[in-house]
Amino acid sequence: MTTTWATATATHCPYCALQCGMRLAPAAGPVPVEVRERADFPVNRGALCGKGQNAAALLAPGARLTTPLVRDVWDTKDGRGGRGELRAASWAEALDRAASGFAAVREEHGADAVGVFGGGGLTNEKAYQLGKFARIALRTATIDYNGRFCMSSAAAAGRIAFGVDRGLPFPLADIPRTDCLILVGANPAETMPPALRYFRELRENGGTLIVVDPRRTRTAEQADLHLQPVPGTDLALALGLLHLLIADRMVDVDFVAERTSGFEQARAAAMAHWPERVERITGVPVAQLREAARHFGRARTGMVLTARGPEQQSKGTDTVGAWINLCLASGKAGRLYSGYGCLTGQGNGQGGREHGQKADQLPGYRSIEDPAARAHVAAVWGVEPEDLPRSGRSAYELLDSLGAPGADGVRALLLMGSNPVVSAPRAARISRRLRSLDLLVVSDLVLSETAQLADVVLPSTQWAEETGTMTNLEGRVLLRRRATEPPDGVRSDLWVLRELAERLGAKGPGGEGGFDDDPETVFAELRRASAGGQADYAGISYERIAAEDGVFWPCPAEDHPGTPRLFLDAFATPDGRARFAPVSHRPAAEEPDTEYPVHLTTGRVLAQYQSGAQTRRVAELNAAAPGPFVELHPRLAARVGVAEGEPLAVVSRRGRVVAPARISDAIRPDTVFMPFHWAGPGRANTLTNPALDPTSKMPEFKVCAVRLEVLRLERTGEDA
């Protein structure tokens, strides 16, 4: 029986990277706790969006999984085998089935044929333990996570320019104190509403807000200036603005000389992007380009913040690099109330990429190919450095290899906290890849579309039922506290990893290298593993987090104050200088043509979150956003002959989806928009292009070519 504690528990929202503070108080009825305001937490100051206000709904019976599930399989006369329906099972049966399946695949096909796919919503403890489990218990290099689909281009560009990646190098509270802010491809009014107050306060303080977005979003409506480029042309836009800073003598020559390198190469690239050329590429009028450059260039302080718009492109790293160039050239980096930042999306998108879920990283944001990093982490784990695998496949490459024949195919997969059937690009193909596996094991709190394909489903505890740390978009390490007990039959992911590790012959709890299921014990080991790395948590403890409303990394010692603001003295490069990116515009991987004449861009809506696996189970949120739609301009609607609410097919080279038309003059006439929260006939990611950025391996979610077909009878197609 579920019980609750007598007093309200201070904790954090389970959704976006703001990690808003809230309190959970005991409640009568099927939902064991109720969400209350927590006005003393500095990030949201009590404000919560509808998702946060309704977060406890998923704790109700019937909304979530409460028992392990397994799928019986058998041989048939034709040799193809058969698969039954998922059925309830004991934990012993489910774990034995998973562990024996992993061991069999490893024995027959090699260690790298067993894959691990994590999530940006896992706590730091889970992300750390999952990476350790992959490399020690499974001995596989095949691990990545869905954060690769979120902010990996910004992370790559930040590491190139500054030597380190942290979503924001300053607290959110600095935003209202800057003079000019350019927000590129971000819609916080819908994706993280409590953050919108910072942008409103900026304008109230006399600052200028410039929003870059192909759509006139709720955020763009708040702006002093809205630039509305063609999807996929953000790189040209940034280069054009840098051209104007140079041509109009708004470069901070002293800052460039003293604190940067590579300006001349960046200058040469920018000078090839004069305003009239940029207008032809982007569709943004020259007058608006000049106005934006003037506001930013003449401001005493300034910031550029990007989100998925410029980042989810096959040139996302270069695009973010070009926006960073704008900050560097104008002297708006490494100074108070100035700099570049990324609005991280997932709840632990920052911490999740710091401690070992990514294919190329070890804890502390260390490179898995660095001999010193391998030696340090191997010592913490109680193994030899040569026993650690090398870099593996990035997220889409991993998913695309599932079930493939030959030496490169992944035959078994452990998936935690992700739903790639909905969230992956070219999603119909990925769904088929998942079905072709010898073994799919999914740990989740709900029976997501991906879990429905699994051979073993493990019900995991939710945020209110477990303790653990998260790192928000500011680099602030926070403590989520357990506020209620989980239902009978539900276990934590840490417990699952411990049990699987023991069954696979790895070391049990009690000592270095073991797999403990106590989160504070795991965090203590994470601190040791991260010590000396870029994301150094060595000085952060549960006690400090609780006492200080979070601690900013790097924090190398217990007497260190933490680091709310990076780069004020030097950048984290070997010579302390920030590096310009010598980049030039290039087209999207797939441009419109006569067969597919319209741009498609994708994104989120206010009431839903990511793949919708959680929010689509909350009645209040579904009432506000009940299903997918295709947003298009009235001129485009008239051209194709569709009326408001009529079914409209959107077709790309990868598939075909159907959703109701939503006609709005807030979008460009050459572009349609679809939210990506739904499965089924309206699944936007059936259409999206998996073309990868060569550096970040980010797929090109934000732009592809489509055609529109008006329907009277709904008909859907799948990936060819």
Side-chain angles (χ1 to χ4, degrees), residues 122-301:
L122 301 181
T123 64
N124 288 316
E125 292 81 0
K126 293 180 183 181
Y128 168 81
Q129 198 84 309
L130 188 63
K132 177 182 172 182
F133 175 82
R135 293 168 177 119
I136 300 301
L138 294 175
R139 303 193 298 277
T140 182
T142 310
I143 176 172
D144 211 85
Y145 85 126
N146 64 16
R148 180 79 68 171
F149 296 160
C150 290
M151 67 296 296
S152 59
S153 293
R159 288 173 68 86
I160 292 168
F162 306 127
V164 68
D165 156 46
R166 197 177 84 184
L168 295 181
F170 42 72
L172 282 161
D174 282 2
I175 288 175
R177 306 182 72 174
T178 197
D179 293 326
C180 182
L181 189 145
I182 304 178
L183 192 60
V184 189
N187 184 17
E190 298 197 59
T191 60
M192 45 180 64
L196 193 63
R197 68 167 57 184
Y198 292 103
F199 302 100
R200 288 176 176 152
E201 289 170 3
L202 179 152
R203 296 188 68 210
E204 291 167 2
N205 292 341
T208 300
L209 176 63
I210 300 170
V211 171
V212 179
D213 200 301
R215 303 169 63 225
R216 190 177 68 250
T217 63
R218 298 184 188 188
T219 304
E221 290 172 349
Q222 304 289 323
D224 297 284
L225 177 63
H226 175 206
L227 308 182
Q228 205 163 359
V230 173
T233 64
D234 308 89
L235 176 52
L237 179 59
L239 287 162
L241 295 177
L242 180 57
H243 177 107
L244 289 168
L245 289 190
I246 296 167
D248 294 343
R249 302 180 183 277
M250 291 185 285
V251 172
D252 187 331
V253 293
D254 291 337
F255 179 89
V256 169
E258 294 168 7
R259 298 200 60 187
T260 73
S261 60
F263 175 67
E264 288 306 317
Q265 295 93 324
R267 180 185 186 280
M271 296 316 289
H273 295 78
W274 57 92
E276 291 75 15
R277 181 190 178 200
V278 171
E279 179 179 20
R280 288 196 298 272
I281 294 170
T282 67
V284 177
V286 168
Q288 289 189 353
L289 294 171
R290 294 189 182 280
E291 184 180 0
R294 183 173 65 254
H295 278 302
F296 192 74
R298 293 180 180 175
R300 181 179 55 86
T301 59

Side-chain angles (χ1 to χ4, degrees), residues 331-574:
K332 296 179 177 67
R335 289 176 170 171
L336 199 60
Y337 311 133
S338 291
Y340 164 78
C342 161
L343 295 180
T344 303
Q346 295 189 81
N348 202 30
Q350 180 67 54
R353 66 186 188 264
E354 295 168 0
H355 298 301
Q357 281 193 102
K358 287 184 72 176
D360 56 352
Q361 286 181 359
L362 289 172
Y365 227 137
R366 290 180 162 92
S367 168
I368 200 168
E369 300 297 337
D370 178 11
R374 293 171 64 84
H376 175 85
V377 175
V380 174
W381 288 351
V383 299
E384 295 300 319
E386 55 269 24
D387 292 336
L388 295 177
R390 297 286 175 172
S391 295
R393 303 175 177 95
S394 70
Y396 183 78
E397 294 169 318
L398 189 164
L399 294 172
D400 196 43
S401 73
L402 299 179
D408 291 334
V410 174
R411 306 299 312 176
L413 182 69
L414 171 63
L415 188 147
M416 279 192 169
S418 186
N419 189 19
V421 165
V422 178
S423 63
R426 202 177 185 185
R429 177 182 175 88
I430 298 307
S431 297
R432 290 199 300 274
R433 291 294 198 193
L434 287 160
R435 290 187 181 97
S436 71
L437 285 167
D438 296 346
L439 177 69
L440 174 60
V441 179
V442 173
S443 178
D444 210 331
L445 57 94
V446 297
L447 192 65
S448 69
E449 287 76 13
T450 304
Q452 291 171 30
L453 304 181
D455 301 290
V456 180
V457 181
L458 306 174
S460 61
T461 49
Q462 297 196 38
W463 101 108
E465 299 162 348
E466 61 185 11
T467 295
T469 61
M470 307 287 280
T471 305
N472 80 344
L473 76 172
E474 307 166 296
R476 188 195 301 253
V477 185
L478 303 165
L479 184 62
R480 280 187 183 172
R481 296 171 175 87
R482 182 175 179 175
T484 186
E485 294 181 359
D488 293 338
V490 174
R491 302 287 187 271
S492 75
D493 288 323
L494 293 179
W495 183 88
V496 167
L497 292 173
R498 188 197 75 183
E499 293 292 315
L500 287 175
E502 290 182 353
R503 283 167 170 79
L504 290 164
K507 193 175 179 181
E512 298 289 357
F515 289 86
D516 207 294
D517 64 344
D518 173 66
E520 191 164 6
T521 301
V522 175
F523 188 74
E525 184 180 305
L526 180 158
R527 293 170 63 189
R528 295 192 294 275
S530 73
Q534 288 186 333
D536 191 334
Y537 284 31
I540 304 175
S541 65
Y542 278 23
E543 292 77 16
R544 279 196 66 181
I545 297 171
E548 300 173 28
D549 275 331
V551 181
F552 292 85
W553 70 259
C555 183
E558 292 184 0
D559 59 354
H560 189 281
T563 314
R565 298 177 181 86
L566 298 174
F567 314 139
L568 296 183
D569 298 317
F571 296 98
T573 56

Side-chain angles (χ1 to χ4, degrees), residues 309-333:
E311 298 164 17
Q312 286 182 327
Q313 299 184 29
S314 61
K315 54 182 183 293
T317 302
D318 285 358
T319 301
V320 174
W323 287 102
I324 291 174
N325 286 352
L326 202 66
C327 292
L328 297 179
S330 60
K332 296 179 177 67

